[in-house]
Amino acid sequence: MSRFKLAAASSVTALSLALAGCMGTGNIPSASAPITQSEAQMGAEAHPQLLAEFGGAMSGSQAQYVEQVGKNIAVHSGLGNARESFTVSLLNSPVNNAFAIPGGYIYTTRQLVALMNNEAELAGVLGHEVGHVAARHSQRRQAAAQRNTLLGAAGAILSGILLGNSGLGQQLGQAALQGSQLLTLKFSRSQELEADGLGIRYLVDAGYDPRAMATVLKSLAMQNALDARVQGRDNANIPEWASTHPDPASRVQSALATAQATGATGGVTNRDTFLTRIDGLTYGDDPKQGVVEGRQFIHPDLRLAFTAPQGFYMINGTRAVTINGQSGQAQFSMAPYNGNLDSYVTSVFAGLSKQQQIRPQSVQRTTVNGLPAAYGTARVSSSNGQVDVTVFAYEFANDRAYHFLAITPAGRASPFTQMFGSMRRIDAQTAANVIPRVIDVVTVRNGDTVASLASRMAYSDNQVERFRVLNGLDSNDGLSAGQKVKIVVRGR
């Protein structure tokens, strides 16, 4: 969660409809027509908003490297003047995501890059996105997209479960989506497979190992499964990148078969070069956007912190933090504040639904850890029964307030009570102690094992599993002296 950039919902929705969610072989087109002026204009208009939604574009040598690989693979797309026509951005986002929009705008997050293990995998992912642009998938899906519900993080899905297809459910679902950083639309399975095939073709033409598409999909599947276990979810497909794509686990064998069908043998991976170039890359949350540490959310710039309920997990988005569990969902964000907490709470309720007027039964005033606070609850009928919607707001300055918006089955809001009471200011020393995690590339020495290297991971849980997934290692894979591997450590 950054400084809560506020934008009209209509502009976000319009942008969402233009986005091309990704990483799909049927009849694969050959050379494509050059990017048109109208496509370029569409992309140019959406690009700045998209950067804001995903934490901004990174700069420096790592971003330049990603851009170079992306433009080099785009040359093999058959699009005229591809190297100059494509814009490739490395996004400062802690979610595993990559996507494209019309006009040749290609994006990948630093988190997804950190999951990769060689340059061929990076080229494969970017080539997949180039494939979406070359095949005009976004344009072909636009009419259908306008009829589809936007897909997002677990918060949006959970609110749909609780509220069914009610107007409130749709509004809250979109609110959770905006906080999730997953503003992408789902392509048809055939289009995703087609983009996989195009990406593999580009890999072959560029001299890379075509199996790289399959290995990066395998790493994604492993990461999704690990996230589900760590967060206590049964569904391994959300909320990461695969929630907007066909299941990567089911696509690994398809990608391998496509690579084999090319007849290409060998091909470079540039593993050591890639690992050297991403050494030091920020991993997970950027403190400037706030960080999730276990059940704690801490924002050093905004000088605040709170604790999620036991058994819930958090997703830190650009606009909000979502808190999800089996018994409810909440979102932490901000709204314009005029110095009156009562009107702040009622305005949040008023903005929840266009289909029905929602008002709290009353607005109560209180103090939480020295912070002036106000809260209210409304009981709402939905297709799945009655639910309670609670808004709990805190004043941090005369012109600045934040709030939780929580949804629970009727009469069962108690899981969030302790979280509401945990909101607090943090001092300068606590803020200074928030240090980001970064990728540290090390060389395996004689005597090093998976367990010994994993013990250096900057996590208190699942160290071995995190190390294996980060390095694309199966449960029976070992290490060899001289091999380069990634670990996650605290930055300096």
Side-chain angles (χ1 to χ4, degrees):
M1 185 188 70
S2 66
R3 290 186 176 272
F4 299 103
K5 304 175 184 69
L6 299 175
S10 60
S11 66
V12 174
T13 303
L15 172 62
S16 301
L17 292 175
L19 289 177
C22 324
M23 261 266 2
T25 25
N27 297 320
I28 300 175
S30 55
S32 301
I35 292 171
T36 66
Q37 184 175 354
S38 62
E39 289 171 339
Q41 182 177 353
M42 183 187 303
E45 290 176 354
H47 180 61
Q49 301 175 64
L50 204 65
L51 293 181
E53 282 297 324
F54 283 81
M58 299 183 67
S59 59
S61 61
Q62 293 161 340
Q64 292 168 2
Y65 174 60
V66 169
E67 180 183 28
Q68 174 191 341
V69 172
K71 290 197 170 188
N72 286 346
I73 203 71
V75 168
H76 300 279
S77 67
L79 286 166
N81 204 26
R83 191 182 300 276
E84 290 73 26
S85 299
F86 276 82
T87 298
V88 185
S89 300
L90 176 63
L91 301 172
N92 184 26
S93 172
V95 300
N96 290 307
N97 209 347
F99 47 88
I101 59 175
Y105 290 84
I106 306 298
Y107 309 85
T108 183
T109 63
R110 57 172 168 77
Q111 194 74 1
L112 182 56
V113 172
L115 184 63
M116 301 172 191
N117 285 286
N118 58 59
E119 186 177 290
E121 290 185 347
L122 174 60
V125 168
L126 297 177
H128 173 105
E129 305 309 333
V130 169
H132 278 309
V133 173
R136 266 65 180 191
H137 284 162
S138 182
Q139 292 88 322
R140 287 156 56 185
R141 289 288 289 175
Q142 188 168 8
Q146 292 170 350
R147 299 191 299 268
N148 290 344
T149 300
L150 292 174
L151 300 177
I157 294 168
L158 181 57
S159 67
I161 293 171
L162 289 174
L163 300 169
N165 294 321
S166 67
L168 176 63
Q170 294 170 7
Q171 288 294 110
L172 292 179
Q174 184 166 323
L177 168 67
Q178 291 173 2
S180 76
Q181 294 187 326
L182 291 177
L183 290 170
T184 49
L185 290 173
K186 191 173 184 177
F187 280 129
S188 68
R189 181 171 180 80
S190 63
Q191 287 179 327
E192 292 294 352
L193 292 173
E194 185 178 300
D196 277 352
L198 287 167
I200 290 169
R201 173 193 288 177
Y202 304 157
L203 287 175
V204 173
D205 291 346
Y208 288 113
D209 186 342
R211 296 171 298 177
M213 187 72 77
T215 58
V216 73
L217 286 169
K218 180 179 177 181
S219 290
L220 276 166
M222 293 168 63
Q223 184 67 60
N224 289 342
L226 175 60
D227 288 340
R229 290 197 302 272
V230 170
Q231 296 169 354
R233 290 186 284 111
D234 293 329
N235 187 342
N237 292 332
I238 56 175
E240 298 295 352
W241 187 42
S243 67
T244 52
H245 306 69
D247 176 19
S250 69
R251 291 161 58 201
V252 173
Q253 294 305 315
S254 174
L256 281 173
T258 303
Q260 185 175 3
T262 66
T265 58
V268 301
T269 61
N270 286 347
R271 174 182 168 85
D272 284 3
T273 297
F274 173 82
L275 293 177
T276 299
R277 298 298 293 268
I278 70 164
D279 192 19
L281 186 65
T282 300
Y283 187 87
D285 292 329
D286 183 340
K288 294 179 181 179
Q289 301 172 350
V291 300
V292 174
E293 293 286 355
R295 292 169 51 210
Q296 304 282 328
F297 176 77
I298 307 172
H299 202 305
D301 286 357
L302 301 180
R303 295 289 181 88
L304 60 81
F306 65 83
T307 305
Q310 185 73 40
F312 284 64
Y313 66 92
M314 287 184 280
I315 303 169
N316 183 19
T318 306
R319 296 176 179 271
V321 181
T322 54
I323 304 99
N324 299 286
Q326 293 297 318
S327 55
Q329 172 225 332
Q331 182 184 55
F332 177 66
S333 61
M334 75 177 298
Y337 184 53
N338 63 5
N340 187 313
L341 275 176
D342 290 42
S343 63
Y344 181 94
V345 170
T346 56
S347 68
V348 174
F349 276 106
L352 289 179
S353 177
K354 297 178 181 178
Q355 285 75 23
Q356 55 183 305
Q357 191 174 52
I358 301 174
R359 293 177 177 174
Q361 297 169 349
S362 64
V363 177
Q364 305 291 322
R365 298 297 294 264
T366 188
T367 302
V368 175
N369 298 319
L371 295 167
Y375 62 94
T377 299
R379 184 153 293 180
V380 182
S381 295
S382 75
S383 59
N384 292 337
Q386 291 190 318
V387 297
D388 285 341
V389 180
T390 301
V391 175
F392 207 114
Y394 312 82
E395 181 182 88
F396 272 74
N398 292 333
D399 61 349
R400 183 163 58 99
Y402 305 102
H403 68 274
F404 288 106
L405 169 63
I407 315 167
T408 58
R412 292 164 57 185
S414 57
F416 291 122
T417 301
Q418 287 187 334
M419 181 179 74
F420 296 153
S422 71
M423 178 59 65
R424 59 199 182 275
R425 296 183 188 272
I426 60 172
D427 59 25
Q429 185 59 53
T430 302
N433 288 338
V434 178
I435 302 173
R437 294 181 174 94
V438 298
I439 292 291
D440 184 22
V441 176
V442 300
T443 301
V444 177
R445 299 174 300 181
N446 288 324
D448 284 340
T449 64
V450 167
S452 66
L453 289 173
S455 68
R456 296 162 57 182
M457 295 279 285
Y459 290 94
S460 59
D461 66 315
N462 300 283
Q463 289 178 312
V464 170
E465 292 83 357
R466 293 179 190 274
F467 176 83
R468 286 192 176 278
V469 170
L470 185 65
N471 290 284
L473 299 174
D474 288 328
S475 58
N476 57 346
D477 287 341
L479 301 175
S480 303
Q483 176 182 355
K484 290 184 182 297
V485 294
K486 297 171 287 181
I487 59 176
V488 177
V489 301
R490 293 291 179 183
R492 297 174 179 85

